[in-house]
Amino acid sequence: MIKSIDQVFVNAKHWLLSWLAGWPNWATQVVSSLINILALLAVFLTLFALLSVLERKILARIQNRYGPNRVGPFGLFQPIADGIKMLIKEDIVPVRADKIVHFLAPVLIAAVAILTLGVIPYGRNMTPFTIDCGILFFFAVGSATELAVFMAGWGSNNKFSMLGAMRAIAQMISYELPLIITVLPVVMVVGSLTADRIVAAQGNYTYGLIPRWFAFTPWGMAAFILFFISGLVESNRTPFDVPEGESEIVAGHMTEYSGFKYATFFMAEYLGMFAISGLAVTLFLGGWHAPAHALEFIPSYVWFFAKLSALLFVYVWVRGTLPRTRIDQMMNFAWKFMLPMAFTCIVAAAVWHYAGRGLRGWLWSLLVIAIVYNGLSILLDTKRKFASRVYRFAE
């Protein structure tokens, strides 16, 4: 009974494909892929609509005010109203803009976000597209986001859009390096780039109680924190939402977009946040595995989306807590701290592995992380770097 509930969606898909028993093999594969794509779109577009209203409600509570509460019960129909407004809003394109590039930029950025969602295991036997190098595919496809941002800035034929696009690309490239490097320790320890094998490597429990998730090792916890911070930047989320610094560069690369095209950028930002959070769950938090052996009777997909929801809540919490950083602070943080610490995680993971993956390896790994962290803190002198500035104006 428990197994049938856990595999209800897999069995439903097999039942649908059983109706195509006489079809050619290639046609069955095409229909199977279409079912996976439609399921992904249905789940994550619904989650996007739900999170858009929940985020506004959570931020309202943090700021001691009401959130959306007019459209539908408890304001839950607000995303529908927003979608209708965006659909009927006038689509204005600058006269001298490159019409084709201007149109393709939001399409490309949304397509990239959807593609990255296809290689994440959402439950037992519930990976939409199982690829041998799924993690590599995730980052290879995700890197096209920079191209889409550049297309938006260049195609708008607006100097503010172009400046905003270049600043966004510089920010994304700077943090994409630590994002990728923090994944390498997991790949090295597991010995595979397949997401399913990475999840399977975290499926055991110590004494049946403590899960052997990589986040519970010193190198894994450090890599997870670095990965999460880099994910904030790649998703263009507060406190790293510099491309949308309205007081400085209008709306960045999205300045000349309106209507549903602007909504597509907004949707792609959320889908990218879902993808990065889902990958963090897969790499460091055991994927769809339960936090204890006794809780494995709960369906695997419930655990995955529970962990995903917890990370998304932290995204919202950070947005309601921290102010936007300066661009110089953000770039210094990436190159002078994040990147060295990301390489340190690789060394610490190697120490943990060759020391036997036991208590001794845990302590030696922690020592490596602590030494480099303290050394960087002293070397960078953060108290002086982030001290209050004294502004002097010309008379």
Side-chain angles (χ1 to χ4, degrees):
M1 181 64 182
I2 295 174
K3 185 177 180 180
S4 62
I5 295 175
D6 185 54
Q7 298 294 292
V8 61
F9 297 108
V10 178
N11 294 333
K13 178 186 172 183
H14 290 164
W15 177 78
L16 289 173
L17 293 177
S18 66
W19 290 81
L20 310 178
W23 288 32
N25 187 42
W26 65 267
T28 304
Q29 292 179 355
V30 169
V31 174
S32 175
S33 299
L34 289 175
I35 292 173
N36 291 340
I37 292 169
L38 292 175
L40 274 179
L41 291 176
V43 170
F44 284 101
L45 289 181
T46 303
L47 185 60
F48 160 63
L50 183 61
L51 185 63
S52 65
V53 66
L54 288 180
E55 179 172 12
R56 293 166 68 180
K57 283 183 170 291
I58 294 170
L59 292 175
R61 291 297 181 184
I62 292 175
Q63 297 163 0
N64 195 24
R65 59 179 176 82
Y66 290 112
N69 59 0
R70 298 292 182 181
V71 186
F74 306 105
L76 293 178
F77 292 165
Q78 186 66 44
I80 299 176
D82 292 338
I84 294 173
K85 182 191 76 171
M86 288 296 181
L87 281 171
I88 64 177
K89 201 171 183 180
E90 184 180 4
D91 180 26
I92 301 174
V93 182
V95 176
R96 297 187 179 182
D98 189 321
K99 305 295 191 298
I100 298 177
V101 176
H102 188 272
F103 172 78
L104 288 179
V107 175
L108 177 61
I109 199 169
V112 166
I114 294 170
L115 283 173
T116 54
L117 291 168
V119 295
I120 297 174
Y122 299 102
R124 188 178 283 105
N125 303 320
M126 288 179 62
T127 306
F129 300 98
T130 304
I131 305 174
D132 289 339
C133 296
I135 305 300
L136 184 62
F137 174 85
F138 184 97
F139 289 107
V141 172
S143 62
T145 304
E146 285 88 335
L147 176 61
V149 171
F150 178 76
M151 289 170 61
W154 178 268
S156 298
N157 195 23
N158 180 322
K159 61 183 179 181
F160 293 105
S161 297
M162 192 60 195
L163 287 171
M166 297 310 295
R167 191 156 85 164
I169 292 169
Q171 163 187 326
M172 295 167 73
I173 291 176
S174 298
Y175 279 86
E176 195 164 341
L177 289 173
L179 185 75
I180 296 174
I181 293 171
T182 50
V183 176
L184 293 181
V186 177
V187 174
M188 289 166 51
V189 168
V190 177
S192 174
L193 283 164
T194 306
D196 290 308
R197 290 190 59 183
I198 292 174
V199 173
Q202 303 175 75
N204 296 324
Y205 301 89
T206 303
Y207 306 115
L209 297 174
I210 304 174
R212 295 184 181 179
W213 299 349
F214 293 136
F216 291 156
T217 61
W219 63 267
M221 178 56 69
F224 172 64
I225 294 172
L226 296 174
F227 185 93
F228 185 82
I229 295 173
S230 300
L232 282 172
V233 181
E234 293 294 313
S235 303
N236 190 25
R237 298 284 300 183
T238 307
F240 305 109
D241 56 338
V242 171
E244 294 183 13
E246 296 87 351
S247 61
E248 303 170 17
I249 50 174
V250 198
H253 57 280
M254 298 180 288
T255 300
E256 297 293 353
Y257 284 90
S258 62
F260 200 72
K261 291 180 183 176
Y262 185 87
T264 304
F265 279 105
F266 184 68
M267 179 186 70
E269 177 182 312
Y270 275 80
L271 293 179
M273 181 171 64
F274 299 156
I276 289 290
S277 300
L279 187 63
V281 171
T282 301
L283 294 173
F284 302 104
L285 299 179
W288 44 262
H289 286 294
H293 182 69
L295 298 174
E296 287 190 341
F297 67 92
I298 299 176
S300 56
Y301 49 84
V302 173
W303 284 119
F304 179 89
F305 281 98
K307 298 173 186 177
L308 181 65
S309 301
L311 289 184
L312 294 177
F313 175 75
V314 176
Y315 271 86
V316 178
W317 191 0
V318 169
R319 179 181 177 182
T321 306
L322 299 179
R324 180 182 293 135
T325 58
R326 293 200 315 259
I327 185 67
D328 62 315
Q329 292 176 341
M330 189 168 62
M331 300 301 281
N332 281 331
F333 186 62
W335 292 99
K336 296 179 180 179
F337 181 81
M338 294 282 289
L339 198 58
M341 284 301 299
F343 281 113
T344 303
C345 291
I346 297 178
V347 177
V351 170
W352 176 80
H353 172 73
Y354 287 109
R357 300 193 177 192
L359 178 60
R360 186 177 66 173
W362 201 95
L363 293 174
W364 278 109
S365 177
L366 178 62
L367 181 63
V368 171
I369 297 290
I371 289 174
V372 176
Y373 176 82
N374 286 294
L376 286 173
S377 299
I378 296 171
L379 182 65
L380 297 177
D381 192 8
T382 53
K383 292 182 179 180
R384 182 177 60 85
K385 293 290 184 182
F386 294 99
S388 299
R389 287 191 171 188
V390 177
Y391 293 94
R392 298 179 176 87
F393 300 93
E395 296 181 355

